[in-house]
Amino acid sequence: MLEHRVLFDDRRIAERVQALSAEIHADLPTARPVVIGLLTGSYVFMADLLRAAAGLGVEPLVDFMALSHYGGGHRARGEAKILKDVNVNIRGQAVLLVDDILDSGTTLLRARDHLLRQEPSWLHSCVFLDKPWRRIVDIRADYVGFVIPDVWVIGYGLDYAGEGRALPYVAAIELARPCAKREG
Ligand code: IMP
Ligand code: MG
């Protein structure tokens, strides 16, 4: 396993996810939203968020999208390309878009604009982590679990070259090149 330093342990994460789901629940216009996760990193956060929301009476439809970046080595400047679209029809539906982490912002921006074109009645976005200093496009999430500095994190669904996703906590790793980007 990569050398890493724990930032948020499982208890801290559970508390924050519980609070976030209450915050989202208070805003949701319906108990039956369509919740759309961005693969792959969002899967752990989304599972916990939805189980917390289930305790508040939310019965979502669940779907996923997958995006990747154009541009090979220039990925931070690249545009995100849609590799997998949603299967459900979201026209007139309340949609919650979920991702693991908001970094340059290109992924969430691309996904949100794509979904908005399908005319949902309501669309809010929720990210588990936010690195606001890394933004290269103008976007912010409606709900944020934790704001973190410019470090590469693994665990709780987040990976580095495929490693670390299943860790039950979030940890920072040292990169040779700060924040070289990964897919998914
Ligand atoms: P963005 O398009 O630059 O905002 O990138 C967002 C995507 O990059 C996220 O969905 C993650 O998959 C990935 N990502 C960005 N920062 C990290 C990190 O620190 N750890 C793991 N994945 C990350
Ligand atoms: Mg991702």
Side-chain angles (χ1 to χ4, degrees):
M1 176 46 68
L2 296 159
E3 213 173 291
H4 58 274
R5 173 173 54 91
V6 176
L7 296 183
F8 308 113
D9 65 15
D10 53 350
R11 255 185 66 188
R12 181 114 184 261
I13 293 171
E15 279 170 17
R16 186 66 193 117
V17 170
Q18 198 71 42
L20 262 185
S21 79
E23 205 184 311
I24 294 167
H25 176 250
D27 292 347
L28 274 180
T30 168
R32 293 189 58 80
V34 181
V35 180
I36 299 174
L38 301 187
L39 293 171
T40 302
S42 70
Y43 78 107
V44 177
F45 174 49
M46 187 147 142
D48 282 350
L49 192 68
L50 291 184
R51 282 178 293 186
L56 302 171
V58 178
E59 295 178 37
L61 280 176
V62 175
D63 206 342
F64 290 95
M65 286 176 77
L67 292 92
S68 95
H69 292 263
Y70 285 118
H74 311 284
R75 303 181 43 205
R77 302 261 152 215
E79 199 193 318
K81 175 184 168 193
I82 294 170
L83 301 177
K84 184 216 169 298
D85 202 347
V86 286
N87 298 319
V88 294
N89 180 359
I90 60 162
R91 180 178 299 267
Q93 304 290 312
V95 172
L96 181 71
L97 178 57
V98 178
D99 203 7
D100 52 358
I101 186 163
L102 189 49
D103 188 30
S104 73
T106 55
T107 304
L108 193 68
L109 183 72
R110 180 79 176 93
R112 190 195 63 181
D113 286 353
H114 177 75
L115 294 173
L116 282 175
R117 276 198 288 278
Q118 297 166 49
E119 299 180 344
S121 58
W122 182 97
L123 190 152
H124 279 193
S125 55
C126 175
V127 294
F128 176 58
L129 300 174
D130 188 2
K131 299 182 198 173
W133 300 275
R134 295 264 306 162
R135 212 74 89 244
I136 62 169
V137 292
D138 184 20
I139 189 164
R140 47 175 212 86
D142 298 288
Y143 313 98
V144 173
F146 299 101
V147 173
I148 62 167
D150 186 4
V151 292
W152 195 268
V153 287
I154 58 169
Y156 201 65
L158 294 136
D159 75 310
Y160 177 70
E163 278 194 66
R165 285 200 203 277
L167 295 172
Y169 48 81
V170 172
I173 61 169
E174 297 296 333
L175 291 182
R177 220 160 22 101
C179 277
K181 285 193 47 69
R182 321 292 325 164
E183 279 181 29

